[in-house]
Amino acid sequence: MRVLLVGSGGREHALAACLSRSPELEVLFIAPGNPGMVPLGTLVPIAADDVEALVAFAKEQKIDLVVPGPEAPLVAGLSDLCVSEGIACAGPSQAASALEGSKSFTKDVADAAGIPTARWERFEEAEPALAFVRRRGAPIVIKADGLAAGKGVIVAQTLEEAEAAIIDILTDRSFGEAGASIVIEECLVGQEVSLFAFCSDGEAVLIGAARDHKRIGEGDTGPNTGGMGAISPPPHFGRDAQEQALDIMVRPMLAEMVRRGTPFRGIIFAGLMLTKSGPKLIEYNVRFGDPEAQALLIRLESDLLPTLKALAEGQLAKASICFTDEASVSVVLAAKGYPGTPVKGGAIRGIARAEAVPGVSVFQAGTALQNNSLVASGGRVLTVCAKAATPAEARARAYEGVAAIEWADGIFRRDIGL
Ligand code: AMP
Ligand code: GLY
């Protein structure tokens, strides 16, 4: 099979590693990719969100399957354009990507499908929104309806914070059109977990669950990031609980999407809050998480390529998918300054030594080659990932891998999985 993988982060590096092992792979192109992926495929200098250029390339190269990593090309209609050109795409249509692109769409679908979620209201005007939060009081959650680069959710602990968020989003339009409307919802309390599944129309096959570590600082302090580490499985959320959650949180959504004439084919990422009254849906993403994908995919034993092809063709029931029972831990190394302005250009060494630790894989993200040596070029730079029989062992291996990396500007959390 001729495959085009889209993206350039650690998630896509992990996907490329799985795809490149497939006996069914003929050629792997990666757009735009990163230096870590050079041994796995051919890098193509097309941006991940340049949907038209991606599809033109796929046509020219007679690609059999497009595998999108991030959400931006999906929300921009990559899958639809592929399908119109007769190319299979392992990601949802633009209409189905609204599950990530619009918070109010997701809440509507959840309500229609009977999926437990926080009570909510949608507003387009500041005055009624302000009156609503004054009636409800804090804590309360304010969300820009559209995609806001992970910054559009404000969990307001006080009424003042809630009011400021409403004015910021609706009146001052600090997220532009993504904030043309807002969702205000009840604040859920509990532990968060992320559930992942391969989905195709009405079918869902469990991938696994993970816990992300979103804050930059140890002990969950400081600003939010794209994710500083992940563990899989999360404590007290094993295989049975995951299967049960798939029945409650994902399968009814898939049926509702089929009923609406916009079936979902892709990877679903359901963000759940484990509350005292059971799991509740926080949000869906229409793709793998990063760094969750790295922690999940290093445990994949079966061939990813036929699974993604089957998913794209609505034949998921025929795919055989197998993960090891091991635990895994992924630790992100970011550049000093992240999530603000990262320090770039520092030399990175020791990846091979890290990967010599049993069970360890290192995935690259914000890296570049300068005079043939590897340097940092972005915020999140490496994910050091380990699997082992127990969570403690996986954690020890991951940090042994981290210790082998030599990079003066690297920062990481020491408490992933503690
Ligand atoms: P994002 O991934 O940017 O959409 O941010 C969502 C984050 O906001 C989640 O990971 C939760 O930590 C938090 N969050 C969202 N909705 C709620 C809610 N209803 N109650 C409590 N926390 C929430
Ligand atoms: N790590 C969270 C995300 O990928 O959205």
Side-chain angles (χ1 to χ4, degrees):
M1 237 183 282
R2 299 174 65 80
V3 178
L4 171 62
L5 170 66
V6 178
S8 63
R11 163 182 54 203
E12 288 79 19
H13 189 175
L15 283 164
C18 289
L19 293 171
S20 69
R21 284 197 298 270
S22 173
E24 292 188 23
L25 184 73
E26 193 184 318
V27 53
L28 177 63
F29 292 103
I30 310 164
N34 68 46
M37 303 183 193
V38 168
L40 306 174
T42 304
L43 305 198
V44 185
I46 302 175
D49 58 358
D50 191 348
V51 167
E52 259 115 53
L54 290 169
V55 176
F57 177 84
K59 255 175 81 176
E60 177 195 304
Q61 287 293 332
K62 301 196 168 20
I63 294 295
D64 300 300
L65 179 69
V66 173
V67 180
E71 67 279 14
L74 294 169
V75 173
L78 174 62
S79 187
D80 311 69
L81 204 53
C82 283
V83 169
S84 73
E85 295 293 346
I87 302 165
C89 179
S93 66
Q94 190 170 38
S97 300
L99 288 170
E100 176 157 359
S102 163
K103 309 265 189 224
S104 60
F105 177 81
T106 294
K107 299 297 278 191
D108 265 334
V109 169
D111 286 352
I115 294 170
T117 184
R119 281 170 298 153
W120 67 290
E121 296 271 346
R122 177 173 181 273
F123 295 92
E124 288 175 0
E125 307 283 341
E127 275 314 316
L130 290 166
F132 180 78
V133 297
R134 284 171 195 146
R135 270 201 318 276
R136 283 293 165 90
I140 196 157
V141 181
I142 317 290
K143 301 182 170 185
D145 201 341
L147 281 182
K151 298 196 173 77
V153 175
I154 295 95
V155 181
Q157 297 301 335
T158 64
L159 186 57
E160 292 68 37
E161 259 182 90
E163 290 173 342
I166 291 169
I167 294 186
D168 190 41
I169 301 174
L170 281 181
T171 310
D172 300 344
R173 286 294 164 97
S174 50
F175 299 111
E177 275 309 293
S181 63
I182 59 172
V183 165
I184 302 186
E185 62 180 45
E186 163 198 13
C187 188
L188 301 172
V189 179
Q191 294 280 343
E192 274 186 72
V193 295
S194 306
L195 183 73
F196 295 86
F198 295 116
C199 304
S200 183
D201 304 351
E203 302 281 344
V205 178
L206 182 66
I207 297 172
R211 172 162 299 143
D212 193 9
H213 294 61
K214 276 207 178 252
R215 304 293 189 104
I216 187 76
E218 283 159 21
D220 291 328
T221 53
N224 261 333
T225 70
M228 292 300 290
I231 56 168
S232 173
H236 315 299
F237 196 70
R239 207 76 196 167
D240 289 349
Q242 294 169 26
E243 284 287 357
Q244 233 171 32
L246 202 61
D247 275 340
I248 299 169
M249 301 291 175
V250 174
R251 292 199 169 99
M253 174 277 284
L254 294 176
E256 173 63 17
M257 294 299 280
V258 169
R259 197 189 64 74
R260 291 176 179 225
T262 53
F264 181 90
R265 291 182 181 179
I267 287 154
I268 199 75
F269 165 166
L272 312 180
M273 189 74 88
L274 305 180
T275 73
K276 272 196 205 137
S277 52
K280 297 218 166 140
L281 179 74
I282 300 174
E283 61 176 358
Y284 292 119
N285 296 304
V286 299
R287 50 168 176 86
F288 262 123
D290 185 338
E292 294 93 325
Q294 295 88 308
L296 292 164
L297 287 171
I298 59 164
R299 293 175 26 235
L300 181 66
E301 286 195 316
S302 53
D303 188 346
L304 180 64
L305 183 49
T307 296
L308 293 180
K309 187 79 191 312
L311 173 164
E313 291 173 341
Q315 306 280 327
L316 189 59
K318 292 191 190 150
S320 68
I321 301 166
C322 175
F323 287 87
T324 69
D325 285 334
E326 288 162 301
S328 57
V329 171
S330 65
V331 179
V332 169
L333 274 75
K336 258 181 219 159
Y338 178 75
T341 310
V343 176
K344 294 185 184 174
I348 300 167
R349 290 189 202 87
I351 290 180
R353 246 179 310 124
E355 291 194 313
V357 178
V360 169
S361 303
V362 179
F363 300 110
Q364 300 186 28
T367 56
L369 285 175
Q370 223 171 57
N371 306 323
N372 277 329
S373 48
L374 194 68
V375 299
S377 67
R380 291 191 294 174
V381 172
L382 302 175
T383 313
V384 178
C385 217
K387 59 181 174 179
T390 66
E393 219 178 313
R395 196 181 120 75
R397 287 176 168 185
Y399 280 103
E400 198 182 329
V402 170
I405 304 284
E406 292 169 49
W407 172 32
D409 302 322
I411 53 169
F412 61 92
R413 281 179 58 167
R414 285 162 212 277
D415 64 344
I416 307 301
L418 257 196

